[in-house]
Amino acid sequence: MELEHILSAYHSRLLAIEHRAPLTAETYEAEISRLLEWAIQEEQNILTLDVQILQRYLEFRRDVQALDSRSVAKAISALRSFFRFLLDQGLRQDNPALLLESPRKPQRIPKVLSRETIETLLSSISLDTPQGIRDRALFELVYSCGLRISEAVHLDVQDVYFSESLIRVVGKGNKERLIPFGPEADSWLKRYMTEARPALARHIKSRALFLSRRGKRLSRKGIWKNYAQFASVLGISSKVHVLRHSFATELLAGGADLRSVQELLGHADLTTTQIYTHVDNTVLREQHRRFVPRLRGYTE
């Protein structure tokens, strides 16, 4: 089987048999494409290379291409999946990637913004164009619902239920969930639907909720770029995913239980949600640092 056919069949397996999310399938396929290119340059046969050769490949990715430990761990997951595919196809008798040791992923505390900072950022968006109204509605919704950007991109008009103030979201693993949105998001969504979206659609029929200026579904890169521009103007160092982090942190700080936050965020594992409790603890430590010194020397 030629390499192109192997890669195509592997991609089909990821979607049809392993039920991977489309973005995960794209990421895995891209990783294996890099492996195949490297193997050709190194005159290695993908059907016979061993764990030592795979370690050399990962060293190349880490040292030459500057991958961090989290990215290396993702690469190893892709390699294990790919060689499992070759094993099932009878193209290999083993899975050498199983012998690779994944680096320990450092637990990163998500960055968050205060509610006041987010309100300042959203209020700074110019409403002089349909794109500006769209961006205000988009980021209000992301913040109100704690959406992943990929989830916001794939929203369709029919996924918004204004009468119930709910949106239907398809998250990782094609799992659906209903998320309530607040009055601010409701107001901006309605304005976008009546004023901006018809101007962006330009008589092009599209079921996508958020449209680009050409009337097509707004892309993830477009969202990232627009948010980065708004943040840079205000001198704010953050990425759009911070809106999701801030949403989760505010819920927990307000007394929401972990299970409810897990459901709203679409986390498969509760331990993923628990990281936001650490964010809240950093706030507590900061308050302790500021106020406890005032108690020193106090005696009853």
Side-chain angles (χ1 to χ4, degrees):
M1 188 183 296
E2 296 181 0
L3 292 181
E4 289 185 4
H5 292 160
I6 290 177
L7 198 58
S8 176
Y10 172 61
H11 185 263
S12 298
R13 172 197 172 98
L14 289 172
L15 296 174
I17 299 178
E18 295 190 14
H19 302 292
R20 301 282 187 174
L23 288 178
T24 301
E26 290 177 13
T27 301
Y28 278 27
E29 182 182 14
E31 185 62 52
I32 301 308
S33 293
R34 284 188 285 265
L35 171 66
L36 296 178
E37 291 176 2
W38 179 86
I40 292 173
Q41 293 175 356
E42 296 291 317
E43 299 182 348
Q44 297 291 336
N45 187 337
I46 197 71
L47 301 181
T48 58
L49 57 77
D50 56 22
V51 64
Q52 286 77 21
I53 302 300
L54 286 181
Q55 287 173 335
R56 278 177 49 196
Y57 167 71
L58 291 175
E59 289 173 2
F60 164 77
R61 294 278 282 131
R62 183 176 56 248
D63 299 338
V64 177
Q65 301 184 341
L67 255 64
D68 58 20
S69 60
R70 293 174 65 89
S71 298
V72 170
K74 290 180 181 179
I76 291 176
S77 295
L79 294 175
R80 288 172 178 168
S81 169
F82 177 66
F83 283 99
R84 182 168 62 246
F85 160 73
L86 295 181
L87 182 62
D88 292 344
Q89 293 294 311
L91 298 174
R92 287 192 62 116
Q93 300 299 314
D94 63 340
N95 184 343
L98 291 177
L99 301 176
L100 295 171
E101 185 176 350
S102 295
R104 297 186 63 179
K105 298 180 182 179
Q107 190 179 51
R108 296 180 179 177
I109 304 299
K111 293 182 179 179
V112 299
L113 297 176
S114 68
R115 184 178 303 177
E116 294 75 14
T117 301
I118 292 175
E119 289 177 353
T120 299
L121 189 151
L122 297 180
S123 298
S124 72
I125 299 175
S126 173
L127 305 177
D128 295 336
T129 64
Q131 295 97 305
I133 298 174
R134 176 206 62 202
D135 289 338
R136 181 66 185 268
L138 167 64
F139 295 128
E140 288 282 2
L141 188 65
V142 169
Y143 178 47
S144 183
C145 300
L147 298 180
R148 301 179 178 95
I149 298 308
S150 59
E151 294 171 344
V153 164
H154 289 100
L155 283 174
D156 292 334
V157 172
Q158 65 185 20
D159 293 327
V160 183
Y161 305 99
F162 283 107
S163 59
E164 293 89 3
S165 296
L166 292 171
I167 59 170
R168 184 181 68 90
V169 173
V170 179
K172 290 185 176 181
N174 291 322
K175 294 182 180 178
E176 295 186 4
R177 66 188 192 278
L178 290 173
I179 310 176
F181 54 86
E184 195 73 17
D186 178 86
S187 175
W188 284 104
L189 273 176
K190 288 177 178 176
R191 181 173 176 181
Y192 164 68
M193 293 296 293
T194 56
E195 295 182 31
R197 191 179 185 280
L200 293 171
R202 296 182 180 182
H203 306 295
I204 298 174
K205 291 185 178 180
S206 174
R207 63 183 184 181
L209 177 59
F210 294 110
L211 301 177
S212 69
R213 62 178 180 173
R214 295 183 176 87
K216 298 182 179 180
R217 188 181 295 273
L218 190 62
S219 68
R220 287 183 298 151
K221 290 183 178 179
I223 295 175
W224 292 333
K225 180 181 178 181
N226 292 342
Y227 180 88
Q229 289 177 341
F230 300 140
S232 64
V233 169
L234 296 178
I236 299 173
S237 177
S238 78
K239 297 181 179 179
V240 65
H241 206 63
V242 168
L243 296 179
R244 175 174 162 89
H245 296 326
S246 301
F247 162 83
T249 305
E250 284 188 24
L251 282 178
L252 290 171
D257 63 274
L258 272 174
R259 289 289 182 185
S260 297
V261 178
Q262 177 190 10
E263 290 296 323
L264 289 171
L265 293 175
H267 286 159
D269 193 336
L270 186 62
T271 56
T272 307
T273 315
Q274 287 176 330
I275 192 170
Y276 293 106
T277 63
H278 298 303
V279 177
D280 198 37
N281 286 338
T282 61
V283 177
L284 290 176
R285 284 196 293 271
E286 174 61 18
Q287 296 299 313
H288 184 276
R289 184 189 67 79
R290 289 175 56 193
F291 295 114
V292 165
R294 300 183 184 181
L295 302 179
R296 291 175 183 170
Y298 173 77
T299 57
E300 295 183 354

